Amino acid sequence: MTRLRHIGFLLFDDLTQLDFTGPLQVLNRIPGATVHLVARQQGPVRTDCGPFILADTDFANCPQLDLICVPGGWGIDQAMEDDATLDFLRRQAAGAQYVTSVCTGAFILGAAGLLDGVKATTHWRYHSALPRFGAIPVQARVVRDGSVFTGGGVTAGIDFALTIVREVFGEGLAQAIQLGLEYDPHPPVDCGSPTKASPAILDAVDSQFAPRWDAFLRVVDRLTG
Amino acid sequence: MTRLRHIGFLLFDDLTQLDFTGPLQVLNRIPGATVHLVARQQGPVRTDCGPFILADTDFANCPQLDLICVPGGWGIDQAMEDDATLDFLRRQAAGAQYVTSVCTGAFILGAAGLLDGVKATTHWRYHSALPRFGAIPVQARVVRDGSVFTGGGVTAGIDFALTIVREVFGEGLAQAIQLGLEYDPHPPVDCGSPTKASPAILDAVDSQFAPRWDAFLRVVDRLTG
């Protein structure tokens, strides 16, 4: 059970906290695994819900990870252009067994050159930008392409992490973790993907994303232009 | 949209982090709401995944909350016997519109006398103990009884929070938040409740809980004699 001894999450300011706290809850239950919360600097990281997360290690002191997971959030715009972050990712990816992302974290992997020719997914609103980094977009909640696992938006991180546990350790451990976390979802509304949303709801959510999307595309243009 | 101006999560050592980070992600998206992470003392709180959460206020400095949410975890054993915690909860509950819990957080509400005669749910493994605090156990992922909402184990907190949003603000806001969080769950295994688990998996998970359950029952015995 020690095939994933060191599991690390990349933290950066303005990440979406559930992108990483969901998979953290699942992967932390792998017997023998140690989880590392790694950022440019140890200490508080600002999330979309407030500055309430503490990174426990920095890039220089993080051990070689067996699995690295990159969450998403508005802060990807800065992280995608941060050389220290991209260097850290490339260095870790060279030695890791699994390189993974949740939500728009895929674009930080992309900016580091780690999705070229790789089948991948991301948050539905950002899906169309995957080819800008050479990724092959797949409409799925979780996508595996060799050693690269990517998850869809935010809550997809829970399905993503259980998929990793199942593929690496087998059905039994995935089931036991799922039962412990009582993960038998029953959303009280049924609007979790754009195909299920009314035009009015889709417009409302889309208009929240629009200014962020434009800023993101300017970053993508600079990186790939 | 300001009917829930102040939303607070009670934090305590050895809580299960997704019990609160799941609903936090949902409730933080209510327009006009301010979320408070409140503990005995400001600063780091130890969770089952490490000491990586920072409480932003203490009991004395927390404003009157419109909604208070109590997560669960192994640390309930201590919290249920902590007078400062129970006094804080009773004081807040007297002025709050909604008193809520996720997972075994229900038992901290119970220890504070807030579930007497109230229909409630909790983590499946702890469900049978609800009547010890006068609660009326209901087998459901989310239960509402008047101003009291309770959720089942860990991941139920996401369904719980969307249920609150729907009941307080209507279907539209719940749908928009769900779509933004891409909450269209597709667990890769189907073992999220004891009725779905094989005897072998149920035994394995049950044996992990057994020593904790015994310690918990000793606390319950002291409190309810």
Side-chain angles (χ1 to χ4, degrees), chain A residues 16-22 24-25 28-29 35 37 44 48-54 122-125 140-141 152-156 158-159 162-163 166 171-194 196-198 201-202 204-205 208-209, chain B residues 16-22 24-25 28-29 35 37 44 48-54 122-125 140-141 152-156 158-159 162-163 166 171-194 196-198 201-202 204-205 208-209:
Chain A
T16 298
Q17 63 89 12
L18 189 58
D19 284 14
F20 102 90
T21 57
L24 170 63
Q25 190 69 60
N28 187 64
R29 297 202 172 186
V35 174
L37 307 183
D48 65 324
C49 297
F52 71 96
I53 299 284
L54 288 172
T122 186
H123 191 286
W124 62 265
R125 183 61 179 77
R141 196 153 170 87
V154 198
T155 56
I158 300 172
D159 296 333
L162 285 171
T163 301
R166 187 190 58 183
E171 193 97 359
L173 183 60
Q175 289 177 328
I177 292 175
Q178 184 186 24
L179 181 57
L181 301 178
E182 203 168 334
Y183 185 45
D184 184 27
H186 285 83
V189 283
D190 188 22
C191 188
S193 82
K196 296 178 172 179
S198 68
I201 295 291
L202 200 54
V205 174
Q208 291 165 6
F209 277 98
Chain B
T16 299
Q17 63 89 12
L18 189 59
D19 284 15
F20 103 89
T21 56
L24 170 64
Q25 190 69 61
N28 188 64
R29 298 201 171 185
V35 174
L37 307 184
D48 65 324
C49 297
F52 72 96
I53 299 283
L54 288 171
T122 185
H123 191 286
W124 62 266
R125 183 61 181 76
R141 197 152 169 87
V154 198
T155 56
I158 300 172
D159 296 334
L162 284 172
T163 301
R166 186 189 60 184
E171 193 98 357
L173 183 61
Q175 289 178 330
I177 292 175
Q178 183 186 25
L179 182 57
L181 301 177
E182 203 168 334
Y183 185 45
D184 184 27
H186 285 83
V189 282
D190 188 22
C191 188
S193 80
K196 296 178 172 179
S198 68
I201 295 290
L202 200 53
V205 175
Q208 291 165 7
F209 277 99

